[in-house]
Amino acid sequence: GPLEEVSIPFYFGWFLLSSVQDKVRCTSMDFLKTLDTLEAFKKHMIDFTGKAEKEVDLEQYFEAKGTLHCTTKFCDYGKAEGAKEYALKPTVKDFYGSTFELSLSALFVTPRTVGARVSLTEEQLLLWPDDAEKEAASVVPAAASLPLGSRAHVTLGCAEGVEPVQTGLDLLEILALQQEGQQGELVEEMELGSLTYYGEGRWLLSLREPICAPACFSSFYT
Ligand code: 2AM
């Protein structure tokens, strides 16, 4: 009935506890600040500016997007495909309100978004929708053949006019290149980890030590 409809949230996800939100934001800012100063980045700056010789301040370039979280299912209050089925899943009900430890294993930057890759455990994958990667196949064709959970991420910022849904697509694009055997260009060993360039403004920093982020599985209504 109509009551059930209203109870479906905008989205479900893991919400990082406030103690770790600051840590993740700081790490991301440090990374952007450092990336901005690298000669290798300057060489490819045109990916971000569209013009040669123009400088970019990455810390200003991206806008933060509210509470840090890793979306599991975007429901759009029941309008998204599979939203109701997801909301009614026993695992979703059972784990609702539970705290998990997410492992943030990489940071990535593109001219559109900056995000953190989340490497999900077997248990966390129980909350991951079966079609999350396939759903992206119209934009990133190779996504359908990537392992379940590949799209899991935390959006850290978006360029002006870019919607956060783009962050997961940018991550899938990088993972698809890796799967096709493109090694990317290992640019530098940074303190935080190794930095690889995948062309077209796509940068990936594999963290030497993944960030352990406690997060509560819950939902968001505007
Ligand atoms: P995000 O997971 O990359 O941050 C509200 O817009 C939240 O739902 C955001 O966190 C956003 O992106 C996510 N979102 C929006 N549209 C989506 C979609 N079509 N598929 C998956 N996630 C979506």
Side-chain angles (χ1 to χ4, degrees), residues 10-12 65 67 69-76 80 113 132 135 151 153-156 158 163-169 220:
F10 193 36
Y11 61 90
F12 285 91
K65 291 279 174 184
T67 312
H69 65 275
C70 172
T71 306
T72 53
K73 177 69 185 172
F74 177 69
C75 293
D76 201 9
T113 65
E135 209 189 74
R151 191 175 177 175
H153 68 280
V154 174
T155 295
L156 299 168
C158 295
E163 295 295 326
V165 64
Q166 186 61 45
T167 319
L169 303 176
F220 183 86

Side-chain angles (χ1 to χ4, degrees), residues 16 20 23-24 27 101-107 116-121 124 191-194 205-214:
L16 273 60
V20 80
K23 181 189 156 74
V24 173
T27 307
E101 287 191 345
L102 296 185
S103 173
L104 312 191
S105 54
L107 300 178
R117 181 181 187 191
V118 179
S119 297
L120 299 175
T121 63
Q124 291 161 0
E191 212 175 295
L192 285 169
S194 38
L205 176 74
S206 296
L207 294 174
R208 208 176 301 289
E209 290 192 25
I211 300 172
C212 173

Side-chain angles (χ1 to χ4, degrees), residues 174 177-178 182-185 196-204:
I174 293 172
L177 290 172
Q178 286 180 344
Q182 288 203 41
Q183 306 287 304
E185 174 193 336
T196 308
Y197 181 61
Y198 287 92
E200 297 175 27
R202 297 168 294 199
W203 299 85
L204 180 80

